[in-house]
Amino acid sequence: MKRVTVKDLARLLSVAPSTVSRALADHPDISDETKRRVREAAETLGYIPNLRARYLRAKHSRLVALVVPEVNMFFAPSLMSGVDGVLRENDYSLLLFESNDSVVQERKLARLCLNLSVDGVLVSRSSETTELSHLDALADADVPVVLLDKILETDRHSTVAIDGYGAARRATAYLLERGHRQVVGVFADDRLRISQRRAEGFAQAFRDQGLAALEPAAVHVRHLHEFEAQVGAALDALDEPTALFAMSDELLVRAYHHVLSRGLRIPEDVSIVAISDGQAPQFLYPRVTHLRHSGYEVGEKAAHILVGMMRQHYAGAALAVTVQTEMVEGASVRTLQPG
């Protein structure tokens, strides 16, 4: 069925197309009677505004795209909530896209954002993304970009993330200070800078305690179907594993299940610490000690920066914002007796 246009409404009502457009926009120069007739005709014929044409005329769409590797129950919902809250306060609407953790899809979505005339783009990069030319193309077209959570270091685009290195170092130190030495660190895809930095922080905590010779057992899980085999092998490789550090909620929940499935108790046999947004630890028993990493705060700060860029408040150098974490103690860590 052919789409009804402003010209169709104008012909039906015997008025100029500009009169129809202004009536639909509630322009003060158009009489109430004409507005009523136009709106009734639009409803009767099923008229749908051509938003793209309107965006081109206005030179802005009030749309912002958020591109994430995947949408699951961990972290992403709170991240999206933080972004959406700021955008709604500033009269922008959010478009959510999933790259399926593929750089090819991420590039396609960057081109789609240009075609949709979005006003700004927020990106949590895929594990395959090693350079940002597709995002540079957005910036070259005057579409500001902010990287959040899973980022690459860049001088071109603003970034918002936690200090993953420092959080992992602090969480691991928490275990070491309580006498644990046989510790397994569980990390996501090692192609991601976020995983690399957290693994570096994990190892540094051992060096801080003069325990570099222990060669910490760090496991990088690229594919979740390999989790059981990889983490199981790491636990088996240690003489008497007493603790586990998980770099994210998704890995925490899987590690928690894996430990229990081996007939081990938490914290009596294996203590657990994680970096988390604080949701998953509250649903596990005993509650998990964690470095709280607020997805909501990351999304909120990134959206504030993007809104400022869209309003041309930030015309200078890119910003690199670090979101702080806090230690939240649960009952998942046992202090070992000396000797």
Side-chain angles (χ1 to χ4, degrees):
M1 183 176 179
K2 183 182 175 183
R3 179 173 182 156
V4 177
T5 68
V6 167
K7 289 183 180 179
D8 294 328
L9 295 176
R11 279 195 296 269
L12 176 66
L13 298 170
S14 299
V15 297
S18 60
T19 299
V20 172
S21 295
R22 287 186 294 168
L24 291 171
D26 199 24
H27 196 284
D29 290 345
I30 305 300
S31 70
D32 290 341
E33 174 60 20
T34 300
K35 290 177 184 177
R36 182 190 62 76
R37 291 178 59 224
V38 169
R39 288 168 183 164
E40 286 180 354
E43 184 176 351
T44 300
L45 297 181
Y47 169 74
I48 300 173
N50 186 336
L51 295 179
R52 179 167 175 76
R54 183 180 297 177
Y55 298 161
L56 291 173
R57 287 194 300 271
K59 297 185 178 179
H60 60 76
S61 65
R62 312 303 297 182
L63 296 175
V64 169
L66 170 61
V67 180
V68 296
E70 63 177 343
V71 178
N72 56 34
M73 68 179 70
F74 307 107
F75 193 77
S78 59
L79 180 79
M80 291 185 287
S81 182
V83 169
D84 188 54
V86 172
L87 295 182
R88 281 189 287 106
E89 287 175 2
N90 290 277
D91 195 29
Y92 288 94
S93 296
L94 177 63
L95 298 176
L96 176 65
F97 298 109
E98 191 172 7
S99 70
N100 296 315
D101 207 27
S102 161
V103 67
V104 173
Q105 182 65 9
E106 189 177 285
R107 289 170 181 153
K108 288 181 180 178
L109 291 173
R111 290 194 294 271
L112 177 60
C113 288
L114 278 176
N115 292 335
L116 292 174
S117 302
V118 301
D119 289 345
V121 179
L122 297 159
V123 180
S124 180
R125 75 177 182 93
S126 78
S127 59
E128 298 177 349
T129 304
T130 58
E131 55 84 29
L132 303 175
S133 59
H134 52 300
L135 303 186
D136 293 343
L138 286 167
D140 290 340
D142 294 324
V143 179
V145 176
V146 176
L147 291 164
L148 70 168
D149 190 41
K150 296 175 181 177
I151 65 173
L152 279 180
E153 294 176 2
T154 170
D155 294 329
R156 181 76 188 274
H157 308 288
S158 291
T159 61
V160 180
I162 69 163
D163 176 8
Y165 172 90
R169 184 178 179 182
R170 185 179 173 192
T172 307
Y174 186 91
L175 293 171
L176 298 177
E177 290 163 0
R178 283 152 184 78
H180 296 277
R181 296 295 180 267
Q182 301 289 300
V183 182
V184 174
V186 185
F187 303 90
D189 196 326
D190 56 1
R191 292 171 295 180
L192 283 170
R193 186 59 175 160
I194 187 175
S195 301
Q196 297 166 6
R197 289 295 289 160
R198 294 184 190 192
E200 290 165 4
F202 175 73
Q204 184 59 48
F206 281 82
R207 292 193 289 271
D208 293 340
Q209 300 284 334
L211 301 171
L214 288 180
E215 297 186 7
V219 181
H220 284 273
V221 181
R222 280 197 177 186
H223 307 289
L224 289 176
H225 69 268
E226 300 171 347
F227 183 95
E228 300 291 332
Q230 288 185 257
V231 174
L235 289 169
D236 292 339
L238 297 178
D239 293 334
E240 292 185 24
T242 65
L244 184 147
F245 163 71
M247 70 159 267
S248 69
D249 278 312
E250 188 167 15
L251 295 177
L252 162 63
V253 171
R254 289 177 178 271
Y256 209 93
H257 177 270
H258 181 78
V259 169
L260 295 180
S261 71
R262 293 168 69 102
L264 300 172
R265 299 166 299 165
I266 301 169
E268 292 84 358
D269 301 316
V270 176
S271 295
I272 294 183
V273 170
I275 297 175
S276 167
D277 72 358
Q279 296 297 314
Q282 301 304 313
F283 294 114
L284 298 172
Y285 181 83
R287 290 182 177 176
V288 177
T289 296
H290 59 282
L291 263 292
R292 184 172 179 274
H293 167 21
S294 171
Y296 186 92
E297 186 178 358
V298 170
E300 190 176 49
K301 287 184 180 296
H304 275 303
I305 291 172
L306 187 66
V307 168
M309 294 172 70
M310 291 186 295
R311 292 178 174 174
Q312 299 182 333
H313 291 172
Y314 303 134
L319 302 175
V321 176
T322 300
V323 176
Q324 299 302 310
T325 57
E326 61 175 335
M327 177 66 75
V328 179
E329 292 188 297
S332 64
V333 177
R334 178 169 72 102
T335 299
L336 301 181
Q337 297 298 319

